[in-house]
Amino acid sequence: MGNLRSNWSKGTIIAVVVVTFLFAGIFVSNYFQAKAASKESNNLQKNKDTNLPVKKSVSPETIVRNTKDLKSEKERMQKQQEEALHQRNEQEREISKVPNNRTPDTEAQPTTKDKTSSQPPSKKSNAAPDKANITQLRNSGKKIVYLTFDDGPAPFSGQIIKQLEKYQFKATFFMIDGNIKRYPESVKLMVESGETIGLHSVSHSQKEFYKSKETVLSELNQNRHTLKKVSGVNSYIMRTPYGSAPKMTDEYKQAVKEKGYIMWDWNIDSKDWYYKDKRYVNSVIDQIEQMKHHNGPLVILLHERKETLAHLPKLLDYLKEHGYEGKPIEKSTEPVQF
């Protein structure tokens, strides 16, 4: 009887211990579950307060779709930017458009009222050169280059002059009558800067200019009077539209010579009127390399174009590095003709 009571007491104790541990386990489990739920609730509230989305699992398909949408949006924005840039460039070209030397139908409005003009360094008349005083540069040993700009002046003539001054170069500008009247301040700046200014017709049309020796002289006279009225310079230095060959006949040449005009062509065509980009510089350099043994000055044909201005520093760098002096044409300079 005593042994049974003792055994029962041990069993009771074991049962009590087991039950105690069971309740303790349930309590601990409930405690951690309640704590986890409380933490999740706090996180949800925090996300709500800060307007941050609750993280969700994202499928691979959704990631691919979102990436494609982002790429499409970037492409659309880039296309809009390119279109806006193109429109701005077109507007810029329209504002600063100048007649192209190689377009036969380019017309400048002739008028008897002169508003603009250009002049060489000296305000004396650029009459025909005295043969005894002609500069014989081809025998001087100097590397002389004459940069000549046709079809101006233009709104950006001052920028061309600024680049020339940076390299200590001077140039000659052959200008159309109508453009002289449109941009008188550009002409005056050329005069003040010591550039040489010359004549380049009224119509700039082969059909109109070369009709007869009378039309040739008429356009040159009007062009000269316009230039003189603005600048006070009576310049006889001239270049015919598109050069003297083949339209300037012997009769025409004799007529202009008798009136004291000094006709200039060129021996290097930059073809900036054709390339309209930096390739014209390479064209000039190639031609200079081919004329290494040329005994005399180089006369480079350029035009007052924005594209020519944009790449002018590259050409001036080359000329400067190879020892060329950029000179303006003077009335005593022996002309280069075809």
Side-chain angles (χ1 to χ4, degrees), residues 107-338:
E107 300 290 336
Q109 295 294 333
T111 170
T112 56
K113 185 178 180 181
D114 298 333
K115 293 184 180 179
T116 33
S117 159
S118 115
Q119 109 186 21
S122 170
K123 289 194 174 183
K124 297 179 182 180
S125 170
N126 287 321
D130 184 348
K131 290 295 181 180
N133 295 324
I134 291 179
T135 305
Q136 299 295 335
L137 290 173
R138 66 184 57 182
N139 297 322
S140 68
K142 293 182 180 179
K143 297 177 68 174
I144 303 297
V145 61
Y146 294 112
L147 299 175
T148 63
F149 293 85
D150 284 8
D151 295 355
F156 47 87
S157 296
Q159 298 178 49
I160 295 177
I161 294 173
K162 186 176 180 180
Q163 288 295 329
L164 293 171
E165 289 180 342
K166 181 179 178 181
Y167 291 83
Q168 298 180 328
F169 271 48
K170 296 296 179 183
T172 301
F173 294 81
F174 293 103
M175 295 176 287
I176 297 173
D177 192 80
N179 286 341
I180 293 173
K181 296 171 183 176
R182 291 187 188 98
Y183 306 110
E185 295 306 316
S186 293
V187 179
K188 293 175 182 177
L189 181 60
M190 293 173 187
V191 174
E192 295 169 0
S193 302
E195 316 296 334
T196 290
I197 56 174
L199 316 174
H200 197 42
S201 82
V202 175
S203 67
H204 199 274
S205 165
Q206 293 190 56
K207 182 179 179 181
E208 296 298 324
F209 184 87
Y210 297 107
K211 275 184 179 180
S212 65
K213 68 178 182 180
E214 286 76 19
T215 57
V216 170
L217 290 173
S218 176
E219 289 206 16
L220 290 176
N221 289 338
Q222 180 177 328
N223 201 181
R224 180 169 56 86
H225 292 155
T226 299
L227 196 57
K228 182 180 179 181
K229 185 173 182 178
V230 173
S231 65
V233 177
N234 195 23
S235 178
Y236 281 79
I237 295 174
M238 49 79 73
R239 173 175 285 163
T240 62
Y242 310 101
S244 64
K247 298 290 185 177
M248 279 293 284
T249 65
D250 291 338
E251 180 187 17
Y252 295 176
K253 291 178 182 179
Q254 184 62 31
V256 298
K257 184 178 180 181
E258 289 175 356
K259 294 298 181 180
Y261 290 105
I262 310 167
M263 187 179 70
W264 277 80
D265 289 308
W266 58 86
N267 50 30
I268 292 182
D269 184 353
S270 69
K271 296 186 179 180
D272 58 346
W273 51 271
Y274 174 78
Y275 291 120
K276 301 179 183 178
D277 57 33
K278 63 182 180 181
R279 288 177 294 174
Y280 86 83
V281 178
N282 297 331
S283 173
V284 171
I285 293 174
D286 289 342
Q287 292 176 69
I288 292 176
E289 293 296 326
Q290 294 172 13
M291 297 176 65
K292 281 183 177 180
H293 304 294
H294 174 68
N295 186 23
L298 303 178
V299 182
I300 302 177
L301 171 64
L302 299 160
H303 297 84
E304 289 201 60
R305 303 176 58 92
K306 295 199 75 172
E307 298 89 346
T308 301
L309 168 62
H311 305 287
L312 185 59
K314 181 180 177 182
L315 175 59
L316 296 177
D317 279 334
Y318 172 87
L319 294 172
K320 198 73 173 180
E321 290 172 4
H322 288 76
Y324 285 95
E325 297 179 55
K327 298 291 185 181
I329 290 173
E330 298 177 350
K331 66 178 182 179
S332 60
T333 308
E334 183 178 6
V336 170
Q337 299 176 352
F338 295 149

Side-chain angles (χ1 to χ4, degrees), residues 36-101:
S38 175
K39 183 176 181 182
E40 182 177 358
S41 176
N42 290 337
N43 287 338
L44 289 173
Q45 184 62 34
K46 184 177 180 181
N47 289 332
K48 181 178 180 181
D49 294 340
T50 58
N51 293 323
L52 294 175
V54 180
K55 291 183 178 180
K56 297 180 180 180
S57 59
V58 182
S59 66
E61 293 80 5
T62 302
I63 294 174
V64 172
R65 184 172 62 254
N66 291 342
T67 302
K68 289 182 177 179
D69 292 343
L70 180 60
K71 183 178 180 180
S72 299
E73 180 65 17
K74 287 183 177 180
E75 291 177 349
R76 185 182 66 81
M77 292 178 66
Q78 183 177 1
K79 185 176 180 181
Q80 289 179 345
Q81 292 174 351
E82 291 175 351
E83 290 176 352
L85 180 61
H86 175 72
Q87 292 176 359
R88 185 166 67 249
N89 289 339
E90 287 296 324
Q91 292 173 356
E92 220 176 60
R93 278 194 287 270
E94 288 298 323
I95 293 173
S96 60
K97 184 182 288 184
V98 224
N100 187 340
N101 187 42

